[in-house]
């Protein structure tokens, strides 16, 4: 039995009552973005109707209220990933910006010709391209940890790749295409033994599991609010304070300065050093409502519910003739990718949409991973706190009907 009252939770998501093409919406694309509870929507409306103002340095009431709400999210985010200090929490637009920020600051300062950066074969493009740009600029080399047919990292190959040339290891915590949960604590410890720093891409993991950046001892960690039942355009980059303080600035402008003269500019303290310009105030404020929503239910309860739905869906899909699950790691989060013999994922996606069922089809911004499996892409169902076994049944019925039509 599920540890949570899914029916009561679903009532908090207005969009889940939507009809699509005359059918009830069955939203199974949560790895792309999650839906938003009423408390998050209300937080956005409350800000714009009640205390919209620019933040920091304002001396009027609205500015003080907006600043207090904005900075309260920083404290909430700090506790959410158990960062030691609030100034280690930098607001970004999302995981992509967080990874780029590290590549363009720490990377440019510390990676030289001949150095090596290690990523894995299951990375999202946002954790591949920034490092390729950096390696091309510096004459450094990108190394890739291979994976097995179940979609699990080959850790002995990883250990072989580590050397005194390794400057940075940047890996995904949970694969958005496979669902694989990577052994990041082991990856981090091995990297530190080799003298490298570690960036963890937490875009998918942060919603499914407890994140403790101090226990992990990662040097950087990035995640996105929109995968955490929060708004788009907001994310968090965590970095160890002593590393962030030693890094050059990223973007120049207001907020990130102490004093500007034409002769010289001095920069602001953390975290504002990396928060140039007017931030995404409303969405940062609403992000706190999303984290509070998750904390109120409890991540362990959410994870248990998602695992129940994932295991049920896996068992059901495995019975469909010609369907092959892509990503069979022992440790998996609630992402279920699959192919169907002689059927293109795109065609499946369209036919499922005709039945109100939203899945994602294609390469999921992990094209090298699809190449490794010699497939053009997959159909991916991904589950959330509000997903139900009945929605899985609708998916199975939809798949069976679609395959019948297409074959
Ligand atoms: C593992 C992983 N890393 C980074 C990102 C980038 O996050 P963003 O900056 O918030 O876009 C994503 C987004 N993944 C997906 C976005 O749409 N479908 C997906 O699977 C992701 O799944």
């Amino acid at each position: 039995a599920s540890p949570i009252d899914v029916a009561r939770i679903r009532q908090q998501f207005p969009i889940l009552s939507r009809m699509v093409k005359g059918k009830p919406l069955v939203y199974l694309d949560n790895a792309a973005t999650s839906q938003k509870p009423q408390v998050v929507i209300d937080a956005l409306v409350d800000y714009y109707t009640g205390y919209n103002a620019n933040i920091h340095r304002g001396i009027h009431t609205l500015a003080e209220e907006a600043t207090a709400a904005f900075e309260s999210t920083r404290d909430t985010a700090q506790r959410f990933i158990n960062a030691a200090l609030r100034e280690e929490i930098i607001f970004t637009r999302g995981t992509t910006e967080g990874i780029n920020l590290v590549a363009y600051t720490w990377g440019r300062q510390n990676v030289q010709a001949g150095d090596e950066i290690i990523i894995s074969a299951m990375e999202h493009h946002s954790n591949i391209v920034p490092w390729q740009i950096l390696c091309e600029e510096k004459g450094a080399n990108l190394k890739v940890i291979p994976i097995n047919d179940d979609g699990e990292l080959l850790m002995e190959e990883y250990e072989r790749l580590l050397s005194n040339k390794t400057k940075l290891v940047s890996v995904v915590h949970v694969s958005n295409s496979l669902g694989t949960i990577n052994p990041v604590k082991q990856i981090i410890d091995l990297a530190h033994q080799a003298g490298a720093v570690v960036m963890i891409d937490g875009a998918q993991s942060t919603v499914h599991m407890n994140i403790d950046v101090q226990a992990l001892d990662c040097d950087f960690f990035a995640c996105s609010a929109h995968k955490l039942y929060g708004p788009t355009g907001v994310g968090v980059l965590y970095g160890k304070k002593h590393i962030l303080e030693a890094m050059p600035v990223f973007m120049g402008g207001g907020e990130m300065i102490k004093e500007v003269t034409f002769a010289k500019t001095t920069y602001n303290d953390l975290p504002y050093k990396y928060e140039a310009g007017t931030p995404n105030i409303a969405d940062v404020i609403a992000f706190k409502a999303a984290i509070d929503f998750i904390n109120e239910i409890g991540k362990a309860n959410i994870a248990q519910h998602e695992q129940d739905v994932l295991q049920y869906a896996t068992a059901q899909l495995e019975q469909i003739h010609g369907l092959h699950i892509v990503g069979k790691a022992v440790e998996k989060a609630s992402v279920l990718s699959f192919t169907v013999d002689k059927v293109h994922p795109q065609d499946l996606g369209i036919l499922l949409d005709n039945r109100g069922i939203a899945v994602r089809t294609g390469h999921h911004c992990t094209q090298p991973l699809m190449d490794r499996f010699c497939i053009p892409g997959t159909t991916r169902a991904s589950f959330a706190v509000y997903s139900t076994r009945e929605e899985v049944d609708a998916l199975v019925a939809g798949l069976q009907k679609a395959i019948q039509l297409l074959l």
Side-chain angles (χ1 to χ4, degrees):
S2 175
I4 57 177
D5 181 348
V6 183
R8 188 180 65 79
I9 286 170
R10 287 178 69 90
Q11 286 168 354
Q12 299 176 55
F13 291 79
I15 199 167
L16 294 179
S17 314
R18 247 210 74 159
M19 301 294 281
V20 169
K21 298 189 175 159
K23 311 273 191 338
L25 167 67
V26 175
Y27 184 76
L28 300 176
D29 194 19
N30 293 285
T33 196
S34 57
Q35 297 302 344
K36 317 309 170 189
Q38 191 62 45
V39 285
V40 169
I41 299 163
D42 291 348
L44 289 167
V45 173
D46 290 352
Y47 168 72
Y48 282 122
T49 56
Y51 57 105
N52 172 54
N54 212 326
I55 57 171
H56 302 142
R57 296 182 315 286
I59 47 128
H60 59 78
T61 302
L62 294 188
E64 284 167 354
E65 289 176 8
T67 300
F70 183 90
E71 289 301 332
S72 171
T73 299
R74 199 182 309 273
D75 298 326
T76 299
Q78 177 198 348
R79 288 190 296 273
F80 192 54
I81 61 171
N82 196 35
L85 302 162
R86 70 188 315 271
E87 55 265 35
E88 296 176 321
I89 301 296
I90 296 163
F91 289 125
T92 61
R93 282 185 315 117
T95 303
T96 302
E97 183 175 299
I99 296 171
N100 276 275
L101 191 157
V102 174
Y104 278 98
T105 58
W106 186 90
R108 274 210 174 118
Q109 184 182 53
N110 293 284
V111 175
Q112 309 304 333
D115 287 344
E116 293 179 358
I117 293 173
I118 296 177
I119 59 174
S120 87
M122 65 175 86
E123 299 308 321
H124 185 278
H125 294 163
S126 63
N127 199 28
I128 299 172
V129 179
W131 308 119
Q132 288 176 316
I133 293 167
L134 177 64
C135 286
E136 280 159 27
E137 183 181 310
K138 294 287 187 174
N141 300 303
L142 195 61
K143 300 287 181 184
V144 181
I145 309 167
I147 61 174
N148 64 22
D149 290 344
D150 288 338
E152 296 165 320
L153 290 180
L154 294 173
M155 290 299 282
E156 63 282 358
E157 291 304 313
Y158 167 56
E159 291 192 65
R160 248 195 288 284
L161 284 171
L162 281 171
S163 76
N164 58 9
K165 291 181 187 172
T166 312
K167 279 291 175 61
L168 175 87
V169 174
S170 189
V171 292
V172 68
H173 196 169
V174 167
S175 163
N176 64 312
S177 295
L178 304 169
T180 306
I181 299 173
N182 286 321
V184 288
K185 180 60 185 154
Q186 193 185 352
I187 291 168
I188 293 162
D189 292 348
L190 288 166
H192 285 169
Q193 286 164 26
V197 301
V198 183
M199 166 127 227
I200 298 297
D201 169 352
Q204 294 292 337
S205 63
T206 312
V207 73
H208 299 303
M209 56 213 299
N210 194 44
I211 302 296
D212 184 335
V213 291
Q214 293 184 74
L216 286 176
D217 195 28
C218 54
D219 302 289
F220 299 104
F221 185 94
C223 63
S224 303
H226 71 93
K227 300 192 198 273
L228 292 161
Y229 308 106
T232 52
V234 192
V236 164
L237 170 67
Y238 159 81
K240 285 179 181 172
K241 182 175 182 179
H242 74 275
I243 296 178
L244 292 173
E245 282 183 331
M247 289 163 28
V249 290
F250 183 38
M251 290 196 291
E255 303 277 334
M256 56 75 71
I257 50 90
K258 271 191 178 147
E259 186 185 19
V260 179
T261 69
F262 285 125
K264 180 170 171 35
T265 289
T266 54
Y267 301 128
N268 207 341
D269 299 328
L270 288 174
Y272 311 109
K273 168 181 172 185
Y274 290 111
E275 295 183 357
T278 299
N280 187 357
I281 302 168
D283 291 323
V284 166
I285 290 172
F287 185 18
K288 179 180 182 301
I291 296 174
D292 291 347
F293 167 80
I294 291 171
N295 288 338
E296 190 187 321
I297 300 169
K299 268 208 192 160
N301 292 328
I302 296 172
Q304 187 184 330
H305 171 73
E306 289 177 346
Q307 283 300 321
D308 173 72
V309 177
L310 174 68
Q311 283 154 23
Y312 179 73
T314 304
Q316 296 297 313
L317 262 60
E318 279 173 341
Q319 293 173 43
I320 297 177
H321 181 68
L323 187 148
H324 308 282
I325 288 171
V326 181
K328 298 180 179 172
V330 173
E331 296 291 323
K332 270 193 79 172
S334 53
V335 172
L336 193 51
S337 270
F338 54 91
T339 58
V340 176
D341 293 341
K342 305 193 192 78
V343 172
H344 196 285
Q346 196 87 13
D347 296 335
L348 266 187
I350 291 165
L351 289 175
L352 288 172
D353 179 55
N354 288 344
R355 298 168 68 96
I357 301 166
V359 294
R360 178 90 24 165
T361 64
H363 55 65
H364 314 294
C365 294
T366 58
Q367 285 174 299
L369 180 65
M370 299 298 143
D371 295 343
R372 185 261 178 243
F373 281 104
C374 306
I375 51 178
T378 70
T379 300
R380 181 190 71 186
S382 45
F383 309 106
V385 66
Y386 39 67
S387 301
T388 63
R389 288 189 170 205
E390 292 71 27
E391 289 182 313
V392 171
D393 294 340
L395 171 66
V396 171
L399 282 172
Q400 286 165 337
K401 192 76 182 151
I403 294 166
Q404 215 175 17
L405 282 172
L406 292 167
L407 288 186

